[in-house]
Amino acid sequence: MPELPEVETIRRGLKTKILNKTIKSIKIIKPNLVRNDIFDFQKKLKNKKIINIDRVGKLLILDIEDQKHHLTIHLKMTGQLIYVEGDKIIAGGHNLPLVEKLPNKYSYIILKFEDNSQLFFNDMRQFGFWQILNTQDKEDLKKKYGPEPGSKNYNFRSFKKALVGRKSVLKSTLLNQQIIAGIGNIYVDEICFRAKVMPTRRINTLTEQELKKLYQASQYIIKKAIANKGTTFSDYRNAEGHKGNYIKYLKVFGRQKQQCFTCKNNIKKIKLGGRGTHFCPECQK
DNA sequence: AAGATTGTTGCTTA
DNA sequence: TTAAGCAACAATCT
């Protein structure tokens, strides 16, 4: 599923497409994906505009024009937000043209705008959700997220402060959205590789040097992934239905049993904290 | 055919 | 308070 770079790519795409367009209809095929009362949810969106789109970690926040409510959308593992103008065919794919028809069997929420364009929320595994919050609840929710790569308040000081004093496993810690926001299972492995640190290390055993490397790697990887519109392994698509380009830069994720680009030894895959974890046993210490 | 899958939360246990 | 393990959510792929 989308991590910070993928969600940021979707945010930027959606902003250019749906901002200030009046929502004419809200079709909810799977009511369980909406965390509000359905009737209330529809009422708060119908004939309203989205006036801004924000993001915290992997959560999208769409500001509704009443200035009092915010539509939060989480894509979890397989959620997609795809905007289509006019007809219902999209063409995408970073290399090969890809034709898909929308809605498809996983299109569970569909917004229709005044100009007949549509926004499809597709979610095969149905882990994602849409939830309208008032401004207070939205602010409270944002406070629960840790500093995130690429943001103003993310620097070596805030990174170190978030980690220091902990004894937990490095990978699990970096995946904890309340400690550092936005990093998921692909980029955490890539960050550890670039920092030359084993994901199995405990926080309290990391040297100043290693912490610095991890911080720098997190900035580098996340920014580069955003610049490349994210990574598509299977389900991820941006707001235009296109795949991300970062897959060609992956050094360890999904490369188990293949040669490390640096030392030519084999990349290993283990299970750590319940997640598939990729690393180079030679390059990472 | 069992095990894995880009995420998160809640429960249990320590 | 901190941390780890596990199940759950559900569908698909290998």
Side-chain angles (χ1 to χ4, degrees):
Chain A
M1 125 95 190
E3 304 179 27
L4 189 159
E6 290 74 29
V7 179
E8 175 61 16
T9 302
I10 291 171
R11 187 190 73 82
R12 292 177 184 183
L14 282 182
K15 257 188 109 159
T16 70
K17 302 290 187 186
I18 69 166
L19 225 53
N20 300 313
K21 286 185 185 175
T22 301
I23 298 165
K24 296 310 287 184
S25 74
I26 306 103
K27 193 169 179 183
I28 302 170
I29 291 106
K30 287 268 180 188
N32 52 311
L33 300 182
V34 175
R35 291 191 174 177
N36 304 90
D37 172 81
I38 301 301
F39 182 80
D40 202 43
F41 178 87
Q42 305 230 19
K43 192 177 161 189
K44 287 199 169 77
L45 284 180
K46 186 151 180 159
N47 293 320
K48 300 284 192 346
K49 297 168 182 166
I50 300 302
I51 56 171
N52 193 29
I53 305 179
D54 197 3
R55 176 188 59 72
V56 53
K58 305 166 190 172
L59 185 72
L60 284 167
I61 304 171
L62 287 68
D63 296 334
I64 301 171
E65 69 169 309
D66 69 4
Q67 311 263 25
K68 293 174 186 160
H69 294 94
H70 314 268
L71 171 59
T72 61
I73 301 179
H74 204 302
L75 303 172
K76 292 284 183 82
M77 298 281 259
T78 55
Q80 305 174 329
L81 283 172
I82 300 180
Y83 173 88
V84 176
E85 240 157 46
D87 65 18
K88 298 182 177 178
I89 309 290
I90 61 158
H94 64 289
N95 288 326
L96 303 169
L98 170 82
V99 178
E100 289 176 16
K101 277 185 184 170
L102 289 175
N104 62 32
K105 62 189 287 202
Y106 306 118
S107 301
Y108 294 138
I109 302 176
I110 303 169
L111 298 187
K112 196 165 200 168
F113 298 96
E114 55 189 329
D115 60 357
N116 280 330
S117 61
Q118 292 173 281
L119 182 64
F120 294 92
F121 175 58
N122 310 323
D123 190 2
M124 186 176 70
R125 288 169 76 181
Q126 303 173 44
F127 289 177
F129 65 82
W130 288 33
Q131 182 173 31
I132 293 177
L133 299 176
N134 64 39
T135 302
Q136 185 62 59
D137 289 345
K138 186 255 301 180
E139 289 304 321
D140 290 346
L141 182 60
K142 282 176 81 169
K143 283 180 198 145
K144 291 183 183 170
Y145 285 81
E148 55 178 81
S151 72
K152 296 184 290 289
N153 58 359
Y154 191 76
N155 48 48
F156 184 52
R157 260 188 78 210
S158 60
F159 177 81
K160 203 172 146 183
K161 191 181 168 196
L163 300 188
V164 78
R166 300 181 185 277
K167 297 177 177 175
S168 45
V169 171
L170 173 61
K171 170 157 177 170
S172 317
T173 312
L174 293 179
L175 286 176
N176 186 333
Q177 302 299 299
Q178 301 186 26
I179 299 173
I180 303 286
I183 298 173
N185 204 38
I186 293 179
Y187 297 116
V188 71
D189 284 0
E190 296 298 312
I191 289 166
C192 289
F193 176 78
R194 186 171 173 84
K196 302 189 191 297
V197 175
M198 283 288 290
T200 51
R201 290 278 296 281
R202 285 186 182 269
I203 297 294
N204 55 318
T205 70
L206 297 170
T207 64
E208 180 81 4
Q209 179 82 293
E210 287 170 330
L211 282 169
K212 191 125 212 175
K213 279 278 190 65
L214 284 162
Y215 163 73
Q216 288 167 344
S218 68
Q219 290 281 48
Y220 177 89
I221 300 275
I222 297 298
K223 283 179 181 172
K224 188 168 174 183
I226 292 172
N228 284 277
K229 298 183 163 61
T231 303
T232 295
F233 239 77
S234 55
D235 301 293
Y236 168 68
R237 299 290 186 278
N238 70 15
E240 297 165 315
H242 294 235
K243 296 182 179 182
N245 295 319
Y246 193 80
I247 192 166
K248 62 185 174 207
Y249 298 108
L250 296 178
K251 302 287 191 276
V252 287
F253 189 89
R255 296 198 65 251
Q256 60 273 19
K257 296 177 185 169
Q258 298 176 48
Q259 278 190 344
C260 171
F261 294 124
T262 305
C263 74
K264 307 300 178 200
N265 283 287
N266 282 356
I267 300 298
K268 288 262 184 318
K269 181 179 182 186
I270 60 168
K271 189 142 238 180
L272 180 59
R275 315 299 302 277
T277 299
H278 315 71
F279 62 92
C280 173
E282 284 301 315
C283 295
Q284 293 170 258
K285 301 296 175 194

